[in-house]
């Protein structure tokens, strides 16, 4: 059993896991980590189960005081993590001692960092997942983002201490070109807008959260119809055309139904890449043939 | 375009790169009925099912192959033994948007409640937030506009109307529907794996109760299901 205390939470510090799978039927979003690759890498480095809880940090790193010894792994964006002014490397097992304060700054090359702890982090389970989902107050600690003075506890998994396996560190593809596929209402776009969809540069606006991200281009798209007659299914990766000709990309906590045309979509893996791109980044799309 | 016959319903099937399927039927009710049946069957090749009013979405995994769609056609959609009549008691005394609703509809509060009680409601879909229930079949005279400025906080168990629908706020959330009542019993029980106590194929009847009756019902029954005499 180990504990740490949140000294400063940074931004949107939360407990997540691989998501609340199988409940979209009841309008429960899948939720979970925004960058599945980085989170998985931390769990692999620590020999944890892949669906165990992990701490997700967004944009600005938190400050955490370890009350007990721990073995941790930091993955995802580089936040210049340090303990006692000594830099802590990414993508490695790191031994942390009782009393150590782990801190970082603004993330340099991405938007999400993960703090994995060897063992199983204790968090509330709703529908088979500990992923923090604010609208329902599910998962995490009372379904909330972590706050100053919150205590995160974990149960050490002693057998894992011996099982050290070297894992291959995968760097994520940081290109700002995202692969998309034609969505159910792609053909609603005018011919010129079909071309614009892949020619436009899209700004990731500050209207971005765990539910979705509004994307803005200089040239809005045109469709012969701006709304569906009846609500249709949506999922993380769905790209909807808004009535003003701009786009919204639905993300991990996004709604399961919606009324705007779904002109394109990207895979879950591609949303993980997107979720590492900072607000203000200009991206473009490449249509899968 | 491919099509599949599932029991008496004919669906067109669009396959999006083996990532997902969209099934569409000319009879809108088929989406809930067949969607529920597919979901309950827990097919190995399907990770998620969403049944909206327009379509059924099936998220596929690696186990999907060409024969999978054929497996769907073997489903037996016998709704009669699945269908339940569920009565939702609602207390209409404290709904905060009554003033606006009465003004819009030019009907008395009593007349509106009476029309709601005599509406035969079915579940159009779940959407928006976990367990939020869209009920269709509302008396057409009860069509009200959504609020132009959505509220930040609508309490859980609120009963509201907007457009063609009545809606149940399963959880507290922001929202733009006109709130006119409070459900006596929650529709969610987080201790159950199927956390939503109502099913998409249920037929819903609203019965109006006053504050006193609401309290005594809450003392007498532990849940909506017990109140309805269901196991």
């Amino acid at each position: 059993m180990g504990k740490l205390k949140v000294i400063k939470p940074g931004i949107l510090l939360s407990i997540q896991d691989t998501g609340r799978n199988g409940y979209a039927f009841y309008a429960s979003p899948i939720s979970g980590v925004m960058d599945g690759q980085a989170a998985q890498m931390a769990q692999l480095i620590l020999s944890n189960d892949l669906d165990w809880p992990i701490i997700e940090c967004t944009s600005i790193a938190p400050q955490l005081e370890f009350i007990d010894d721990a073995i941790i792994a930091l993955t995802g964006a580089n936040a210049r993590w340090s303990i006692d002014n000594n830099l802590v490397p990414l993508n490695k097992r790191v031994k942390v001692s009782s009393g150590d304060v782990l801190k970082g700054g603004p993330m340099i090359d991405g938007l999400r960092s993960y703090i994995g702890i060897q063992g199983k982090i204790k968090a509330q389970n709703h529908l088979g997942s500990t992923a923090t989902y604010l609208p329902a107050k599910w998962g995490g600690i009372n379904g909330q983002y972590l706050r100053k003075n919150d205590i995160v506890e974990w149960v050490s998994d002693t057998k894992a201490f011996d099982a050290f396996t070297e894992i291959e560190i995968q760097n994520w593809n940081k290109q700002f070109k995202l692969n998309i596929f034609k969505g159910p209402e792609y053909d609603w776009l005018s011919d010129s807008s079909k071309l614009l969809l892949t020619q436009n540069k899209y700004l990731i606006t500050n209207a971005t959260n765990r539910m979705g991200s509004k994307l803005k281009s200089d040239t809005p798209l045109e469709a012969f119809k701006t709304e569906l007659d009846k609500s249709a299914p949506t999922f993380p990766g769905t790209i909807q055309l808004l009535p003003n000709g701009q786009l919204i990309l639905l993300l991990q906590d996004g709604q399961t139904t919606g009324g705007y045309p779904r002109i394109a979509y990207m895979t879950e893996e591609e949303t993980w890449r997107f979720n590492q791109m900072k607000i203000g980044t200009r991206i473009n799309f490449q249509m899968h043939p | 375009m491919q099509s599949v016959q599932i029991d008496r319903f004919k669906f067109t099937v669009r396959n999006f790169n083996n990532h997902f399927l969209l099934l569409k039927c000319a009879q809108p009710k088929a989406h809930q009925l067949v969607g529920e049946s597919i979901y309950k069957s827990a097919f190995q090749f399907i990770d998620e099912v969403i049944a909206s009013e327009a379509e059924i979405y099936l998220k596929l995994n690696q186990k999907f192959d060409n024969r999978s769609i054929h497996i769907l056609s073997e489903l037996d959609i016998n709704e009669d033994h699945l269908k339940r009549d569920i009565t939702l008691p609602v207390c209409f005394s404290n709904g905060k948007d009554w003033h606006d609703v009465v003004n819009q509809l030019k009907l008395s509060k009593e007349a509106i409640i009476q029309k709601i009680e005599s509406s035969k409601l079915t579940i159009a879909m779940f959407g928006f937030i976990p367990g939020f229930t869209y009920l269709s079949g509302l008396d057409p005279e009860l069509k009200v506009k959504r609020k132009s400025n959505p509220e930040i906080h609508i309490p859980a168990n609120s009963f509201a109307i907007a457009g063609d629908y009545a809606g149940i706020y399963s959880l507290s959330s922001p929202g733009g529907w006109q709130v006119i009542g409070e459900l006596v019993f929650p529709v969610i029980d987080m201790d159950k794996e199927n956390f939503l106590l109502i099913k998409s194929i249920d037929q819903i009847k609203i019965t109006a109760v006053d504050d006193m009756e609401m309290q005594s019902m809450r003392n007498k029954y532990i849940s909506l299901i017990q109140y309805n005499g269901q196991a």
Side-chain angles (χ1 to χ4, degrees):
Chain A
M1 179 91 153
K3 275 184 195 159
L4 66 78
K5 182 173 164 185
V6 178
I7 306 294
K8 285 185 187 167
I11 295 179
L12 305 187
L13 185 69
S14 67
I15 294 174
Q16 298 293 344
D17 65 12
T18 47
R20 202 159 273 117
N21 295 292
Y23 292 95
F25 187 75
Y26 297 117
S28 169
I30 290 161
S31 305
V33 289
M34 299 295 274
D35 180 350
Q37 185 191 331
Q40 177 174 323
M41 201 150 65
Q43 305 288 31
L44 284 172
I45 291 168
L46 297 167
S47 308
N48 282 346
D49 284 1
L50 300 183
D51 59 356
W52 283 1
I54 192 165
I55 299 172
E56 181 177 87
C57 325
T58 311
S59 184
I60 293 174
Q63 239 183 67
L64 307 174
E65 181 189 342
F66 283 82
I67 296 165
D68 295 288
D69 293 352
I71 292 175
I72 65 167
L74 304 170
T75 61
N78 180 0
R80 288 195 186 278
W81 295 103
S82 67
I83 292 174
D84 225 358
N85 290 326
N86 296 314
L87 280 180
V88 181
L90 288 176
N91 305 322
K92 279 203 158 53
R93 281 180 178 228
V94 177
K95 192 167 173 346
V96 177
S97 304
S98 162
D100 281 353
V101 175
L102 173 73
K103 56 179 153 185
M107 292 168 198
I108 296 163
D109 55 348
L111 197 61
R112 325 271 172 180
S113 301
Y114 292 87
I115 306 169
I117 299 174
Q118 191 167 64
K120 195 168 185 180
I121 292 173
K122 289 169 85 176
Q124 285 158 19
N125 188 313
H126 290 102
L127 307 179
S129 166
T130 58
T132 304
Y133 173 61
L134 242 59
K137 300 187 180 70
W138 285 349
I141 297 177
N142 301 322
Q144 301 292 327
Y145 292 123
L146 296 175
R147 288 177 280 214
K148 184 179 161 75
N149 294 330
D150 275 352
I151 302 284
V152 176
E153 295 180 284
W154 63 90
V155 179
S156 309
D157 183 13
T158 44
K159 71 177 189 309
F161 279 83
D162 312 319
F164 185 81
T165 40
E166 197 68 50
I167 77 143
E168 196 186 326
I169 303 304
Q170 296 178 345
N171 288 312
W172 84 85
N173 170 0
K174 289 178 185 164
Q175 279 191 3
F176 296 135
K177 196 181 264 287
L178 289 151
N179 277 308
I180 58 171
F181 296 83
K182 290 175 186 170
E185 285 78 48
Y186 175 76
D187 283 327
W188 289 21
L189 292 172
S190 67
D191 286 345
S192 58
S193 286
K194 282 178 183 167
L195 291 174
L196 278 173
L197 176 62
T198 49
Q199 287 167 355
N200 272 341
K201 287 260 184 202
Y202 281 95
L203 177 77
I204 304 177
T205 68
N206 58 13
T208 296
N209 57 28
R210 290 186 51 92
M211 300 173 91
S213 174
K214 284 191 180 170
L215 307 173
K216 193 174 181 302
S217 73
D218 294 335
T219 328
L221 304 187
E222 283 169 9
F224 70 82
K225 213 172 143 190
T226 55
E227 241 178 286
L228 294 155
D229 296 329
K230 291 196 178 292
S231 293
T234 55
F235 53 91
T238 304
I239 298 172
Q240 292 174 306
L241 178 68
L242 299 172
N244 66 2
Q246 303 294 350
L247 305 179
I248 185 164
L249 167 64
L250 300 183
L251 297 172
Q252 274 61 17
D253 283 358
Q255 292 181 205
T256 57
T257 59
Y260 297 128
R262 302 155 295 178
I263 57 165
Y265 73 96
M266 62 177 75
T267 61
E268 188 183 9
E269 288 75 14
E270 205 69 348
T271 65
W272 297 345
R273 288 213 308 118
F274 174 85
N275 287 335
Q276 284 291 7
M277 296 176 189
K278 294 181 183 183
I279 287 159
T281 303
R282 281 178 195 279
I283 58 168
N284 62 338
F285 295 122
Q286 180 167 276
M287 182 62 73
H288 191 269
Chain B
M1 209 180 298
Q2 210 176 341
S3 71
V4 60
Q5 184 80 28
I6 304 178
D7 203 305
R8 60 197 178 281
F9 303 107
K10 191 180 180 189
F11 286 87
T12 57
V13 181
R14 294 170 77 188
N15 182 341
F16 291 82
N17 309 291
N18 285 359
H19 294 134
F20 63 94
L21 302 179
L22 289 181
L23 274 59
K24 200 175 178 71
C25 179
Q27 292 157 271
K29 254 337 264 181
H31 299 130
Q32 287 309 316
L33 212 53
V34 176
E36 167 109 15
S37 186
I38 295 174
Y39 183 59
K40 289 286 147 64
S41 303
F43 292 112
Q44 288 288 307
F45 61 93
I46 296 171
D47 282 346
E48 298 285 346
V49 179
I50 301 171
S52 85
E53 279 196 287
E55 287 160 337
I56 302 172
Y57 160 89
L58 305 177
K59 182 184 180 190
L60 305 175
N61 59 37
Q62 299 294 325
K63 298 191 184 88
F64 176 80
D65 63 35
N66 289 332
R67 283 163 301 171
S68 304
I69 292 176
H70 178 70
I71 294 170
L72 294 178
S73 72
E74 289 168 1
L75 275 173
D76 180 15
I77 314 293
N78 182 358
E79 58 199 290
D80 292 336
H81 74 283
L82 297 168
K83 255 188 190 158
R84 303 183 305 180
D85 289 308
I86 297 288
T87 302
L88 290 182
V90 175
C91 176
F92 288 102
S93 25
N94 308 315
K96 62 184 284 294
D97 298 317
W98 268 115
H99 183 73
D100 195 16
V101 168
V102 166
N103 276 343
Q104 278 195 48
L105 296 178
K106 311 266 186 291
L107 289 168
S108 71
K109 183 174 170 178
E110 291 68 33
I112 293 168
I113 293 171
Q114 199 271 320
K115 281 180 188 297
I116 290 171
E117 284 189 288
S118 55
S119 298
K120 285 201 176 86
L121 302 173
T122 54
I123 291 165
M125 62 173 196
F126 305 115
F128 176 51
I129 48 166
F132 185 96
T133 307
Y134 291 73
L135 299 166
S136 56
L138 201 61
D139 187 311
E141 282 183 56
L142 300 182
K143 211 177 262 198
V144 291
K145 290 196 192 100
R146 286 181 193 212
K147 292 175 193 170
S148 48
N149 213 355
E151 304 266 339
I152 306 233
H153 179 82
I154 307 256
N157 305 317
S158 290
F159 180 86
I161 54 174
D164 295 330
Y165 303 105
I168 297 168
Y169 283 87
S170 47
L171 302 164
S172 57
S173 81
W177 292 28
Q178 309 281 359
V179 176
I180 54 172
E182 179 185 352
L183 262 64
V184 175
F185 302 109
V187 293
I188 278 184
D189 180 353
M190 289 308 294
D191 294 332
K192 291 200 156 62
E193 195 193 346
N194 292 327
F195 70 104
L196 198 57
L197 301 178
I198 47 181
K199 295 181 189 172
S200 56
I201 48 173
D202 288 342
Q203 320 209 65
I204 308 284
K205 190 181 172 332
I206 306 292
T207 181
V209 300
D210 61 26
D211 287 299
M212 292 272 288
E213 288 168 317
M214 175 158 76
Q215 276 320 316
S216 73
M217 278 179 166
R218 282 177 178 170
N219 293 335
K220 192 166 171 197
Y221 301 103
I222 53 163
S223 75
L224 177 71
I225 297 308
Q226 198 198 33
Y227 168 77
N228 275 279
Q230 306 268 350

